[in-house]
Amino acid sequence: MLRTLFTEEIRFLAPIHLKMLGIWTVFGLVFLGIAFLNLPVLNAIGALGAVISFGLSIPGVLIHTASEYWQSMYGSRGYLTMSIPARGRTLYAAKVLYAFAAGLVMMCFTAVGLLTTAWVMARAQGIGLGELLQPIREMLDLVSTGWVIGFIVYMIVELACVIVCVSAIMSIGAQGRWNRLGFGAPLVGFVGLYVVAQALSLALLLTVPVSIGIPSGDIVNTWMLPDFIEAVRTGGDPNLLGLGFIAVWPVLAVVLGVWGVRSIEHHTSLR
């Protein structure tokens, strides 16, 4: 059933997202053409426009997917969705999986678009791509390949966790007890999620006994709080950066995912 529902998500949403991708591609190429002319002012406008065009693909598709989640689960199409002989967790998983897959595709699209923009800027200036990206290469040389791979994995995990949390917040906010608030309940939930995530990040940053040394880059089994207090007391810079914040979104995803599934299976209230 999960595969069937996931396939239906692709059939319904993928054509729309491909059209959105086509529009951003056209805008990006037009701006790249302007940047390639290498004219004063227009060069910068073209590069900025290309970066925005390619960069908007990720939030644009994810916001549209979130809107479709609300409409298909709790809007006018919710009656059809809830009549499907599938458990709430299966419906939830199919929609979250599609959003995650769409987000990954958009991340790749954005990366290719930004790299193309850099190449066009390099050609317009008569230099090589490697020369243009030299500052970034020097920065990457300061860290190991393992850290770069770890950062990429971290970004992918963060994407999955944020999608799980946002979907769960909408399902929790759709419970009958908050029916009178309409979509206002999920909006309040989003604000609460942001506040909790920030507070939890700070708490885990300071108290989890795993940190990275600055600027050595070594991992040490020490919590950041004493070093942070000393830095505040002396007005200096901290020598440690706590790594506990990495666990914030996975923890929130597990808690809210379970809560969201319970809301779908036991407290669904259609408008």
Side-chain angles (χ1 to χ4, degrees):
M1 180 57 78
L2 176 60
R3 184 172 63 180
T4 301
L5 292 173
F6 180 65
T7 302
E8 286 302 313
E9 290 292 314
I10 295 175
R11 288 177 178 172
F12 185 75
L13 291 177
I16 301 173
H17 293 159
L18 286 176
K19 291 178 182 176
M20 296 169 69
L21 204 63
I23 293 172
W24 283 314
T25 300
V26 170
F27 274 104
L29 292 177
V30 169
F31 280 115
L32 285 178
I34 295 174
F36 191 73
L37 296 176
N38 199 24
L39 298 174
V41 182
L42 289 180
N43 178 279
I45 294 176
L48 179 62
V51 169
I52 293 175
S53 298
F54 295 127
L56 280 179
S57 63
I58 299 175
V61 166
L62 291 182
I63 290 173
H64 177 260
T65 305
S67 172
E68 285 295 328
Y69 179 87
W70 177 262
Q71 292 296 327
S72 62
M73 293 288 281
Y74 307 106
S76 58
R77 304 204 310 271
Y79 293 93
L80 176 61
T81 302
M82 295 304 168
S83 67
I84 297 174
R87 301 182 68 178
R89 65 193 61 192
T90 308
L91 294 170
Y92 179 77
K95 294 180 179 299
V96 167
L97 279 176
Y98 175 80
F100 177 60
L104 284 180
V105 171
M106 294 306 135
M107 287 177 70
C108 295
F109 171 78
T110 299
V112 172
L114 295 180
L115 192 60
T116 304
T117 302
W119 178 78
V120 169
M121 292 299 294
R123 290 293 299 270
Q125 297 175 21
I127 60 177
L129 180 61
E131 187 176 353
L132 182 70
L133 298 179
Q134 184 63 27
I136 298 177
R137 293 172 59 185
E138 292 177 352
M139 184 177 65
L140 293 178
D141 287 341
L142 298 176
V143 298
S144 66
T145 304
W147 278 106
V148 176
I149 295 174
F151 178 75
I152 295 173
V153 172
Y154 170 73
M155 294 299 294
I156 294 174
V157 172
E158 289 285 287
L159 172 67
C161 292
V162 170
I163 289 172
V164 168
C165 290
V166 169
S167 303
I169 287 291
M170 284 193 282
S171 291
I172 296 167
Q175 294 184 30
R177 70 180 76 177
W178 296 304
N179 208 343
R180 67 183 184 283
L181 297 177
F183 195 71
L187 289 178
V188 173
F190 294 149
V191 175
L193 174 63
Y194 174 77
V195 173
V196 170
Q198 294 301 312
L200 194 58
S201 295
L202 180 61
L204 295 183
L205 176 80
L206 296 175
T207 59
V208 171
V210 180
S211 304
I212 180 173
I214 303 174
S216 65
D218 297 332
I219 302 295
V220 293
N221 295 325
T222 306
W223 60 337
M224 183 182 172
L225 184 59
D227 182 67
F228 177 75
I229 294 175
E230 182 66 16
V232 172
R233 189 181 67 81
T234 61
D237 296 325
N239 297 312
L240 296 173
L241 175 64
L243 296 178
F245 70 91
I246 294 176
V248 170
W249 283 103
V251 169
L252 289 175
V254 171
V255 173
L256 291 177
V258 172
W259 191 1
V261 168
R262 286 180 57 83
S263 298
I264 297 171
E265 295 185 343
H266 303 292
H267 304 287
T268 291
S269 177
L270 299 177
R271 272 61 184 165

